C-alpha cells in the first residue's frame, strides 16, 4: 500500500541521496567511504530512516535504486516499503509526485539506546554508495506520571 509523504526538511535531505558518487572500486575501502546519518525515535515504533527516489530534470520519476542491507541492526530490524513522494519546491520542480522506497527501522520491544545499520544504495547506472544509519532509540513513554 503506497504511503503519501509530506515534503519536509528530512525529505529534501533524502533527495540528495541520488548524487551517488562512490564507485564500485571504492567499496573495497568501505569504512573510508561510508556516509553516516543519524536518526532518533521511540522504542518499538517505526522510525523512518531514509527515503529513496529518482527525480529527473523534467521533474518526472526515474528508475528506483536497489537497496541492500549490508549490516543489519543488532537490536531491531530494517524493512523497505514502497510509497509515493509528494514534494514542492525541490530545485526546479515546483510540485512533484514520484514513486519512492522508504527504509524503516523498528527496535526490539523495550530496547533503549543506540543501534546502527549499513545500507548499500545502487543507482540504475550501477553506482553504489554505503550509508551507515545510527539510530538513537528512547523509551516509548506515552503515559503521564502521577
Amino acid at each position: 500500500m503506497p504511503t503519501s509523504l509530506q515534503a519536509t526538511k528530512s525529505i529534501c535531505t533524502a533527495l540528495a541521496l541520488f548524487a551517488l558518487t562512490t564507485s564500485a572500486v571504492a567499496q573495497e575501502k568501505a569504512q573510508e567511504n561510508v556516509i553516516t546519518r543519524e536518526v532518533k525515535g521511540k522504542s518499538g515504533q517505526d522510525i523512518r530512516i531514509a527515503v529513496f527516489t529518482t527525480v529527473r530534470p523534467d521533474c518526472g520519476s526515474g528508475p528506483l535504486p536497489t537497496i541492500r542491507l549490508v549490516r543489519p541492526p543488532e537490536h531491531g530490524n530494517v524493512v523497505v516499503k514502497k510509497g509515493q513522494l509528494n514534494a514542492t519546491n525541490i530545485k526546479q520542480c515546483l510540485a512533484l509526485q514520484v514513486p519512492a522506497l522508504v527504509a524503516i527501522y523498528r527496535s526490539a520491544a523495550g530496547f533503549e539506546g543506540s543501534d546502527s545499520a549499513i545500507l548499500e544504495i545502487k543507482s540504475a547506472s550501477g553506482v553504489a554508495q554505503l550509508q551507515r544509519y545510527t539510530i538513537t532509540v528512547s523509551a516509548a513513554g506515552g503515559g503521564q506520571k502521577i
Side-chain angles (χ1 to χ4, degrees):
M1 173 189 282
T3 305
S4 179
L5 305 173
Q6 297 290 337
T8 64
K9 184 177 179 182
S10 64
I11 291 176
C12 293
T13 302
L15 287 174
L17 298 173
F18 311 111
L20 302 174
T21 57
T22 307
S23 70
V25 174
Q27 287 186 31
E28 293 175 9
K29 300 177 186 176
Q31 293 303 318
E32 296 173 16
N33 295 315
V34 175
I35 294 174
T36 302
R37 306 197 184 283
E38 296 182 14
V39 293
K40 297 178 181 180
K42 301 288 184 183
S43 181
Q45 297 179 3
D46 286 349
I47 302 169
R48 183 180 65 211
I49 60 174
V51 177
F52 304 98
T53 191
T54 302
V55 179
R56 296 180 188 238
D58 68 356
C59 301
S61 65
L64 291 172
T66 301
I67 302 170
R68 182 173 67 95
L69 184 60
V70 175
R71 195 184 87 211
E74 294 181 18
H75 305 285
N77 62 40
V78 173
V79 297
V80 173
K81 296 181 180 182
K82 291 182 179 180
Q84 288 286 325
L85 173 66
N86 297 310
T88 57
N89 303 316
I90 305 297
K91 296 188 180 185
Q92 75 276 10
C93 304
L94 297 180
L96 60 91
Q97 181 174 355
V98 293
L101 297 173
V102 182
I104 298 171
Y105 168 86
R106 181 181 281 249
S107 72
F111 172 75
E112 293 179 46
S114 183
D115 205 352
S116 68
I118 298 177
L119 300 178
E120 176 189 60
I121 296 83
K122 190 179 289 186
S123 70
S125 64
V127 177
Q129 180 182 74
L130 293 176
Q131 297 184 7
R132 176 190 315 271
Y133 294 89
T134 301
I135 306 110
T136 303
V137 181
S138 59
Q144 209 176 31
K145 293 185 179 181
I146 299 178

